[in-house]
Amino acid sequence: MKIKSKSKKINKSWLNDHINDPYVKLAQREGYRARAAYKLKEIDETLGLVKPGYCVVDLGSTPGAWSQYLRRKLSPAGAAHGELNGHIIALDMLPMAPIEDVHFIQGDFREESVLQELNQTLDKVYGSQRVDLVVSDMAPNLSGIESADAARIEHLIELALEFSQKRLKPEGALVVKLFHGSGYSQLVKLFKDHFHVVKPIKPKASRDKSSETFLVGMRLKQALE
């Protein structure tokens, strides 16, 4: 296996950590495409976000671990196949291998035409009703320039929030990924301006070395038409 990097030592260290990661091993055993499934699982089990009959939008879905978790949670039998009590619409710029009963849209969430397709799909599968939950694992390609990266992250979160204001039920919830550092406190304030309940969470499956964390907003203060 060839590793292309400016620092082979760093890559070998990461690879070693990855191979020995208990969540990687657990994901392989339980059939998840990525260890990220356990991040959403802990957030859901902590706050009780996913319930039978829900319509959920999964933004930044590829490779599909979050959609897999949602699919199992909305299955009466907790299964990866068979009956599903709810709807899941997933979206990502990159292709995603099919998951039974998950409607996947490939496109850039920042583009108006892709957002329009997402809204049309929701209208088709769920009618004009608002959705119950929006989860976003979207993250930009980081440049290493803190101010530029913070702006890109903030833009994606603002787009997810705007979409949620238009499509979430008043009692619905939005989960987004963000990073500690420049702009973090402003994003927490943004959520507090728009949701009655705001919960920052760093799941155990999120590596200690990473500045990655998650923000959950529940019960919109004001929906947009």
Side-chain angles (χ1 to χ4, degrees), residues 109-191:
F109 185 65
R110 296 168 296 184
E111 295 180 2
E112 184 60 37
S113 59
V114 175
L115 183 58
Q116 186 176 6
E117 183 181 355
L118 174 58
N119 279 311
Q120 289 173 345
T121 301
L122 281 168
D123 290 338
K124 184 177 180 180
V125 302
Y126 202 51
S128 59
Q129 297 183 67
R130 290 178 179 260
V131 305
D132 302 278
L133 176 64
V134 177
V135 297
S136 172
D137 200 25
M138 291 190 296
N141 292 323
L142 300 179
S143 66
I145 302 171
E146 189 174 3
S147 58
D149 291 340
R152 292 189 184 104
I153 293 164
E154 184 175 355
H155 180 55
L156 287 175
I157 291 174
E158 286 174 345
L159 289 176
L161 176 58
E162 184 179 352
F163 171 75
S164 298
Q165 285 181 283
K166 293 178 180 178
R167 296 296 320 211
L168 262 185
K169 292 179 179 177
E171 67 276 16
L174 168 65
V175 180
V176 299
K177 177 164 72 177
L178 69 166
F179 298 87
H180 278 289
S182 177
Y184 176 80
S185 58
Q186 292 93 318
L187 289 171
V188 173
K189 181 181 183 302
L190 181 68
F191 262 54

Side-chain angles (χ1 to χ4, degrees), residues 74-130:
L74 291 175
S75 164
H81 306 283
E83 186 182 354
L84 183 72
N85 184 8
H87 301 281
I88 305 163
I89 296 91
L91 185 150
D92 200 287
M93 292 175 64
L94 300 174
M96 186 178 86
I99 297 171
E100 187 176 307
D101 297 316
V102 175
H103 184 105
F104 176 66
I105 298 169
Q106 185 175 350
D108 189 336
F109 185 65
R110 296 168 296 184
E111 295 180 2
E112 184 60 37
S113 59
V114 175
L115 183 58
Q116 186 176 6
E117 183 181 355
L118 174 58
N119 279 311
Q120 289 173 345
T121 301
L122 281 168
D123 290 338
K124 184 177 180 180
V125 302
Y126 202 51
S128 59
Q129 297 183 67
R130 290 178 179 260

Side-chain angles (χ1 to χ4, degrees), residues 57-76:
V57 176
D58 180 6
L59 301 173
S61 59
T62 301
W66 279 22
S67 285
Q68 285 181 300
Y69 172 76
L70 293 166
R71 200 259 174 253
R72 295 183 191 191
K73 189 65 187 283
L74 291 175
S75 164

Side-chain angles (χ1 to χ4, degrees), residues 206-219:
S206 187
R207 291 187 172 101
D208 292 337
K209 296 176 184 176
S210 172
S211 63
E212 171 192 82
T213 188
F214 294 85
L215 199 58
V216 184
M218 296 179 286
R219 294 173 45 224

